[in-house]
Amino acid sequence: DVKVTQSSRYLVKRTGEKVFLECVQDMDHENMFWYRQDPGLGLRLIYFSYDVKMKEKGDIPEGYSVSREKKERFSLILESASTNQTSMYLCASSLSGRESYGYTFGSGTRLTVV
Amino acid sequence: AQKITQTQPGMFVQEKEAVTLDCTYDTSDPSYGLFWYKQPSSGEMIFLIYQGSYDQQNATEGRYSLNFQKARKSANLVISASQLGDSAMYFCAMREGSTGNQFYFGTGTSLTVIP
């Protein structure tokens, strides 16, 4: 069963901590994405990557960074967590090339920053 | 301009009835794909149905069908015979053929099925 796995379902961190959210996919997908989801705002793209060691800023990259050292793993880093980063974080992956290729999502990480 | 617009923040439907969730999109790309995802309270996004811009027929997957009106740029999701387990958030999304790999999502519609 192909999967996108996010390392934590629930996470509670303190303000100012450095936070790592891990995402691993086993489908050999080229593309990986990090979104945050907030009520009434839908899914907002933070960062994405189309290849190893490649990264592109999405719509709301401030306060975040990413790392993609291996094709299957895409990490989201909150350099210094703040309360306004309390949110649901979703990782997704997809194949390149055709508009018919959909996303496969992880199960999400609900992050609370206190 | 918004690429995907979902104008219904919340919807209610009686169990066993049909319901339509609205989605309009904006693109000048002749080649694109439209997707619907379901997100139950557990948080995971579940793929429901896909419609390609060149598809002549409306897509169907079990109780889900997509009412694709290309000239109006609408891609409404129809759920027939609603079940209590259909209560969830529903997201419409688009992927354009020429601009690569990013999806555009709507803000979602929260569907509640009433027994």
Side-chain angles (χ1 to χ4, degrees):
Chain A
D1 192 18
V2 293
K3 273 193 172 180
V4 176
T5 303
Q6 293 184 231
S7 52
S8 305
R9 289 298 301 272
Y10 299 93
L11 214 50
V12 180
K13 294 293 182 181
R14 295 194 180 277
T15 302
E17 274 193 78
K18 191 169 186 176
V19 181
F20 293 85
L21 302 183
E22 305 288 345
C23 177
V24 178
Q25 51 96 1
D26 63 1
M27 296 166 286
D28 203 34
H29 284 177
E30 298 93 343
N31 311 318
M32 297 189 76
F33 307 83
W34 274 106
Y35 288 86
R36 67 175 281 176
Q37 182 182 6
D38 301 287
L41 298 177
L43 279 72
R44 293 182 290 168
L45 183 62
I46 305 171
Y47 268 97
F48 58 99
S49 169
Y50 294 161
D51 201 354
V52 176
K53 296 193 186 293
M54 176 268 179
K55 58 186 178 185
E56 292 280 350
K57 293 180 180 179
D59 300 319
I60 52 163
E62 296 78 20
Y64 304 94
S65 63
V66 289
S67 171
R68 193 165 181 201
E69 295 296 319
K70 294 184 177 181
K71 188 175 185 179
E72 66 270 19
R73 184 181 295 270
F74 193 35
S75 303
L76 180 70
I77 304 156
L78 285 66
E79 298 290 345
S80 177
S82 64
T83 54
N84 62 14
Q85 291 178 309
T86 292
S87 187
M88 170 72 140
Y89 290 88
L90 288 164
C91 175
S93 71
S94 73
L95 283 169
S96 289
R98 295 186 63 178
E99 66 278 6
S100 59
Y101 294 151
Y103 275 5
T104 302
F105 283 90
S107 52
T109 297
R110 295 186 189 272
L111 173 67
T112 302
V113 182
V114 298
Chain B
Q2 292 287 331
K3 289 276 191 178
I4 296 286
T5 302
Q6 295 180 255
T7 57
Q8 306 155 314
M11 290 280 287
F12 292 87
V13 65
Q14 205 75 38
E15 195 178 4
K16 301 180 185 176
E17 297 289 311
V19 63
T20 298
L21 307 184
D22 294 342
C23 173
T24 57
Y25 59 93
D26 182 26
T27 182
S28 57
D29 195 326
S31 180
Y32 52 89
L34 297 159
F35 301 78
W36 277 92
Y37 288 85
K38 172 184 178 181
Q39 187 182 41
S41 57
S42 60
E44 189 166 358
M45 297 281 274
I46 302 165
F47 166 73
L48 293 179
I49 196 166
Y50 164 78
Q51 179 85 42
S53 58
Y54 295 116
D55 293 344
Q56 297 295 313
Q57 307 251 6
N58 285 343
T60 60
E61 290 285 349
R63 294 186 298 110
Y64 304 108
S65 60
L66 201 152
N67 184 1
F68 181 44
Q69 299 191 37
K70 198 169 183 177
R72 294 186 176 186
K73 294 189 174 180
S74 74
N76 298 339
L77 177 70
V78 181
I79 306 174
S80 62
S82 296
Q83 302 171 356
L84 296 179
D86 294 334
S87 294
M89 283 290 290
Y90 289 82
F91 291 94
C92 179
M94 177 176 67
R95 179 174 180 174
E96 294 170 318
S98 63
T99 57
N101 305 299
Q102 183 183 338
F103 270 41
Y104 300 95
F105 286 89
T107 51
T109 295
S110 176
L111 177 67
T112 302
V113 180
I114 303 165

